[in-house]
Amino acid sequence: MAAASQAERSVLEEEFQWLLREEVHAVLKQLQDILKEASRRFAVPAGGLESHLKQENFILGSSTMDQVKGVLTLQGEALTQADINIKMAKSNQVFHFTFREDKQWKMQQIQDARNHVNQALQLLSSRDESYRFKTGAEVDKVSTMLLLPHLSGAHNRLTTPASMTLPEVASSSLMKMFSPPLPGDVLVNFYINLSKLCLTVYQLHLLQPNSNKNFKPAGSSVLHNPGAMFEVNALKFEVSHIHKVECVVPWLNDTLVFFTISLQLCQQLKDKISVFSSYWNYRPF
C-alpha cells in the first residue's frame, strides 16, 4: 500500500473506521443472539434449578435391536434414568437393568459445551455497543478469544467423544449405578456424538491365567472392537461382543447448527480485519 494515493488511503481509513464502529458491534450482537438461543436449548435455568427441567425420554435403536434395547431419560445435562435390556451372548438370556433410584449420570460433554457458551456470552457482554474498538488488533483478539476456547470448544465437545481405555471404562462410577448390579463380564459407556446420545455395551470373555493367547492391552479409543484385551484387578479380559445403540436428541442438533453459524461469523470477522491489516502492512492495524 506504500504506493497508494492519499485519497485511496483516506477511503480505506474511512471504511475501516466504519467497520470498527458499526459492523464489529453488529456481528458481536448477532453472535450474542445466536449463543443465547443455544443456551436456551441446554435448558438449564439460572441458579441451576435442575428439578424444574423437563425430562425427555429417548428410545435407543440400532441394527442390533434384539441385542440391546432401552429407554434413556435425559434432564438437561443429566441422564436421570436408563432402562436397558441386554441379551447375553453366552446364555441368550435377556437381563434388565435400570439406574438405582439415588443415581444419575452427568453427561460431561453437554455440561462442558454449556459452560463454553456461558463463558462466550460473558465475554460478549463485556463488549456491548457502548464499547469503542480502537484497533483491528483489539477486534482480532476478541474474535480469537471467542473462536478458539469457547466456540470451537463447545462445538468440539459435542462432536468429539473422549477416548477411554477399557480399564477406565471398567473403573468408571457408571458401572456402580445399576440395579441389579451389572455382571462382571459386561461394561457400558454413554457418550455424545454430534446430535446423538450413544450407549456402548461390551460383553467380555475372561482369559484364563494359563491361556496361551498373546496378551496385548488395547489403547485408548471411543469404541473398542471385539478382540480388544485389557487387565483390571489382576484379571485379564477380551471383548467378545460389542453393541452400540443410540438416539437422536433434537435440541443437540440445534445447538450444533448455532455453533457452526457462530464459528463462521467469528472467522469472517477475523478475515475482514486481516484484509484491512494487509493494506496497512507498514503499521500495526
Side-chain angles (χ1 to χ4, degrees):
M1 188 61 202
S5 68
Q6 186 62 41
E8 287 173 325
R9 282 193 203 146
S10 179
V11 169
L12 286 170
E13 182 68 38
E14 192 175 325
E15 288 180 358
F16 187 55
Q17 289 305 318
W18 179 87
L19 176 71
L20 292 178
R21 187 176 61 251
E22 304 290 342
E23 188 170 356
V24 169
H25 280 299
V27 171
L28 295 183
K29 176 65 167 62
Q30 194 175 357
L31 279 169
Q32 192 171 35
D33 291 342
I34 292 168
L35 291 176
K36 281 179 180 177
E37 281 300 316
S39 182
R40 277 194 275 272
R41 294 301 191 278
F42 288 111
V44 177
L49 302 174
E50 295 188 4
S51 60
H52 293 264
L53 293 179
K54 173 185 170 187
Q55 286 193 337
E56 301 173 284
N57 292 326
F58 297 100
I59 298 173
L60 292 164
S62 80
S63 58
T64 57
M65 278 293 285
D66 59 328
Q67 300 298 322
V68 177
K69 296 181 180 180
V71 177
L72 303 181
T73 303
L74 189 64
Q75 188 175 17
E77 62 198 30
L79 261 182
T80 57
Q81 188 51 269
D83 192 301
I84 302 167
N85 291 318
I86 303 174
K87 182 185 281 190
M88 299 300 177
K90 292 177 185 176
S91 63
N92 232 21
Q93 287 182 296
V94 176
F95 289 82
H96 179 234
F97 305 96
T98 60
F99 277 175
R100 287 165 38 189
E101 290 282 332
D102 60 332
K103 296 292 184 181
Q104 58 176 240
W105 183 250
K106 285 279 187 185
M107 297 302 299
Q108 191 64 46
Q109 289 171 265
I110 296 178
Q111 186 177 48
D112 290 347
R114 176 173 64 88
N115 289 340
H116 279 302
V117 170
N118 289 341
Q119 288 164 350
L121 285 169
Q122 287 175 9
L123 179 61
L124 286 166
S125 66
S126 69
R127 301 290 191 274
D128 62 17
E129 292 180 12
S130 64
Y131 186 85
R132 174 87 165 84
F133 286 99
K134 297 179 178 64
T135 65
E138 191 180 5
V139 177
D140 189 71
K141 182 180 178 182
V142 171
S143 301
T144 300
M145 287 169 65
L146 275 171
L147 191 66
L148 294 179
H150 302 315
L151 299 183
S152 293
H155 184 270
N156 290 344
R157 284 305 282 136
L158 298 183
T159 58
T160 312
S163 293
M164 296 178 71
T165 64
L166 286 165
E168 286 171 341
V169 176
S171 60
S172 165
S173 56
L174 175 63
M175 300 298 299
K176 298 179 177 65
M177 290 181 53
F178 290 90
S179 176
L182 292 172
D185 59 354
V186 171
L187 299 181
V188 299
N189 188 33
F190 291 108
Y191 60 90
I192 301 295
N193 186 18
L194 298 168
S195 61
K196 294 176 181 177
L197 174 55
C198 305
L199 164 65
T200 302
V201 177
Y202 298 101
Q203 294 192 46
L204 310 175
H205 168 65
L206 178 64
L207 295 175
Q208 298 303 317
N210 58 355
S211 171
N212 292 325
K213 197 165 229 182
N214 188 17
F215 181 75
K216 291 183 179 178
S220 186
S221 179
V222 175
L223 198 64
H224 294 271
N225 295 319
M229 301 178 189
F230 70 102
E231 183 175 356
V232 64
N233 298 327
L235 296 174
K236 294 178 180 178
F237 293 92
E238 180 180 15
V239 174
S240 58
H241 297 82
I242 174 173
H243 310 290
K244 179 186 171 187
V245 287
E246 58 193 28
C247 52
V248 174
V249 181
W251 59 265
L252 282 178
N253 188 63
D254 291 345
T255 59
L256 283 168
V257 171
F258 292 139
F259 294 159
T260 300
I261 295 170
S262 298
L263 284 164
Q264 290 171 346
L265 282 171
C266 206
Q267 188 60 55
Q268 286 167 4
L269 183 60
K270 283 178 65 69
D271 291 345
K272 283 185 180 181
I273 294 295
S274 179
V275 167
F276 274 100
S277 75
S278 67
Y279 287 119
W280 280 280
N281 56 12
Y282 59 91
R283 65 169 182 158
F285 65 97

